Amino acid sequence: MKIDGGDDSPAELVSITHVRCSSCHISRPAGRSLCCPLLAMWRVRALLLLALGTAGIGSSDPDPHRLRHDSNLEIYKRLFETKRKDQLNALKNLVELNDINQQYKIIDIMLKGLFKVLDDSRQVLVAANMQPDDPFPMDDKVKEAFSHVVENTAFFGDVALRFPRIVHHYFDRNSDWGGLLRWGLHFCNQTGVFTGGAHQHVLTLMSQELGITEKSPDFTNPYRTERDDVLHTAEAFQKILREEEKRRRKEEKRKEIRKGPRISRSRTEL
């Protein structure tokens, strides 16, 4: 049975009190407005691109092309603030879920999607020879890739700081993600989007938390709790990790069986 989940994605009724998201397949309380944080963090992208595409019209400057690029970057920075509020609201719902098993599954889906987008966007920017300190791009495809890199890198910082144990579990064993994130951090730090703002602090803390840069003597993760430290060795968390690994192995085995040759029985055997 499908019901209106209160956002852009339909939900399946699990019980009187819970529904299941058709996008991430995670059950949630029926009264919760947000279903899938990964969908919510992309909610205002169309607004960003539309506003940027119409900026700079009517300039009387002798070099309007240069001014149009500068004004586009300033408009993007203001709209980026709106985007960040949307991301943080999505993350707040995930924190308040207060269910390590559900959080683990959602973050698993989220990070895989995030780094896929980051990789695809890097390829677009490299192909366009777009440097992070270039004028703000006017081409729609390059513009979208630029915003994907900036927004997803910032959002990953939020997730890493609020769920350090879960993120470390994935990130520390994935060298491809490490290379992508280092590139993304370098790109973001050179764009001017983060300069002088609170979001720059998020990138700095995240890079120290994950060991990308050396921790400063006074480094502290303001979002780390005693529960995070306990989870590192807690039997409950270790049990979740073992169950998840077991589930993945079974799923991979089922996929291999489905791909293998199938022998049909002859009519005489039947």
Side-chain angles (χ1 to χ4, degrees), residues 87-120:
Q87 291 177 329
L88 291 174
N89 284 335
L91 201 57
K92 180 181 178 182
N93 281 272
L94 184 58
V95 171
E96 292 176 351
L97 188 59
N98 199 30
D99 183 329
I100 185 64
N101 196 14
Q102 296 275 19
Q103 289 170 340
Y104 184 98
K105 292 177 181 179
I106 292 173
I107 291 173
D108 178 29
I109 296 169
M110 186 186 300
L111 294 187
K112 289 174 182 176
L114 186 150
F115 278 99
K116 177 64 167 62
V117 170
L118 192 60
D119 188 29
D120 292 344

Side-chain angles (χ1 to χ4, degrees), residues 218-242:
D218 58 346
F219 168 78
T220 56
N221 179 347
Y223 303 102
R224 183 184 285 273
T225 65
E226 293 182 2
R227 180 170 177 266
D228 293 319
D229 295 324
V230 170
L231 280 176
H232 184 57
T233 56
E235 177 61 25
F237 186 59
Q238 296 300 319
K239 181 180 179 180
I240 290 171
L241 298 185
R242 290 193 298 268

Side-chain angles (χ1 to χ4, degrees), residues 41-151:
M41 81 175 187
W42 291 332
R43 188 172 299 158
V44 297
R45 182 172 311 283
L47 173 63
L48 292 174
L49 298 179
L50 177 62
L52 291 170
T54 58
I57 299 176
S59 173
S60 59
D61 187 88
D63 187 1
H65 186 65
R66 176 179 58 81
L67 261 189
R68 184 165 64 250
H69 281 84
D70 293 341
S71 64
N72 276 339
L73 180 60
E74 293 306 311
I75 289 174
Y76 178 78
K77 288 171 69 175
R78 291 196 296 271
L79 294 175
F80 178 66
E81 293 295 326
T82 301
K83 178 68 176 183
R84 293 291 291 138
K85 290 178 182 178
D86 192 59
Q87 291 177 329
L88 291 174
N89 284 335
L91 201 57
K92 180 181 178 182
N93 281 272
L94 184 58
V95 171
E96 292 176 351
L97 188 59
N98 199 30
D99 183 329
I100 185 64
N101 196 14
Q102 296 275 19
Q103 289 170 340
Y104 184 98
K105 292 177 181 179
I106 292 173
I107 291 173
D108 178 29
I109 296 169
M110 186 186 300
L111 294 187
K112 289 174 182 176
L114 186 150
F115 278 99
K116 177 64 167 62
V117 170
L118 192 60
D119 188 29
D120 292 344
S121 300
R122 178 176 66 171
Q123 293 180 38
V124 172
L125 295 174
V126 170
N129 197 29
M130 171 74 190
Q131 302 302 314
D133 56 352
D134 283 348
F136 193 87
M138 300 300 294
D139 178 82
D140 286 344
K141 186 176 181 180
V142 178
K143 188 188 305 180
E144 184 177 46
F146 178 97
S147 64
H148 274 313
V149 171
V150 171
E151 295 160 15

Side-chain angles (χ1 to χ4, degrees), residues 5-24:
D7 54 12
D8 294 333
S9 61
E12 176 185 349
L13 183 63
V14 176
S15 68
I16 295 178
T17 58
H18 284 72
V19 295
R20 188 187 314 280
C21 172
S22 63
S23 299
C24 64

